[in-house]
Each structure stands twice: as C-alpha cells, then as structure tokens.
Amino acid sequence: MSRSALFAGLTVLLLAAPAAAQTMYRWTDAQGRVQYSDRLPKDFKGEVTRIEADAQPPMAAPVARPAPVRAEPAKVPEKPGEDRNSRLRATREKLAAAVEQARVRVEAAKKARDGDEGPGVDE
C-alpha cells in the first residue's frame, strides 16, 4: 500500500471519529453536580437529558499561498566582446566607488555635526 493511500485512509478515520460521538447525555447526580457523558449513566434513577450536537458547518478550503517572488539580479548591459567576468568586475568597481563616496559624505557629516556647537549669538 502506498504512503498516500495510507495517509488518506488515516485521515478519513480521524475525521469520522468525532462524527460517531455526536450524542451527549446530561444529568444531575445525588450530590447536585451536573454530569456530562457520551454514554447513559449506569444505575441512575433520575432524569437524563439527551443532547444532540449541532451539525458542524463544512470546513473552509485552505487558502493557497502565493509563490514567493524573487528579485531578479540587476543586469549589466553587455558590450560586444565582453565576457561575464569583465562585466562583474566593472559592476564591483562601480559599487566600490559608490560606497567610497558615501563613506566620504558620512565623514563630512560627522565633522560638521561635531564641529557645530549650536546656534551662534546672532542666530
């Protein structure tokens, strides 16, 4: 028997189990406590109320999750006669230059922040 057939069979059995226990019984014992059971009480002479479970609404279908969207890597336009490594090297150099420019701007901003003592007398 295949695993999927075995899994399907077990799933049906598990889902059918609650359907078999639809009837409940309620009674008050000699000490005044309310008792509930899925079977009639033995040797009980008082009033037993039969409780029928409400029909359960059908289960909602599971919501399918959309496939994750993966970003495409940025493509560097190819120049005739240029191989992949050359393009990657050019991209790396361009990004390194941009990082260095950002580093210079951050340092200038830090110096301006540290050198500024606040508003002057005439401001």
Side-chain angles (χ1 to χ4, degrees):
M1 181 184 291
S2 70
R3 287 185 184 204
S4 61
L6 179 64
F7 180 73
L10 288 174
T11 303
V12 169
L13 287 176
L14 289 174
L15 292 175
Q22 294 282 326
T23 303
M24 298 290 293
Y25 299 96
R26 177 180 181 251
W27 69 94
T28 305
D29 64 9
Q31 289 80 26
R33 294 181 296 198
V34 177
Q35 303 286 329
Y36 293 92
S37 177
D38 59 347
R39 298 184 193 134
L40 285 170
K42 293 181 181 179
D43 301 327
F44 182 74
K45 304 294 184 209
E47 180 183 347
V48 177
T49 305
R50 182 180 174 145
I51 302 170
E52 293 292 331
D54 294 335
Q56 295 188 5
M59 293 177 59
V63 177
R65 292 184 181 174
V69 178
R70 295 191 178 176
E72 296 274 334
K75 295 191 178 187
V76 177
E78 283 190 43
K79 294 179 183 170
E82 188 178 43
D83 66 343
R84 181 175 185 268
N85 289 336
S86 297
R87 287 192 315 268
L88 291 175
R89 190 176 306 111
T91 302
R92 186 173 52 245
E93 289 169 359
K94 186 189 302 184
L95 292 173
V99 167
E100 187 57 36
Q101 286 176 354
R103 194 172 286 137
V104 168
R105 287 194 306 264
V106 167
E107 289 301 320
K110 284 182 181 179
K111 285 180 183 177
R113 179 195 65 196
D114 295 339
D116 188 20
E117 297 296 324
V121 177
D122 60 339
E123 293 179 347

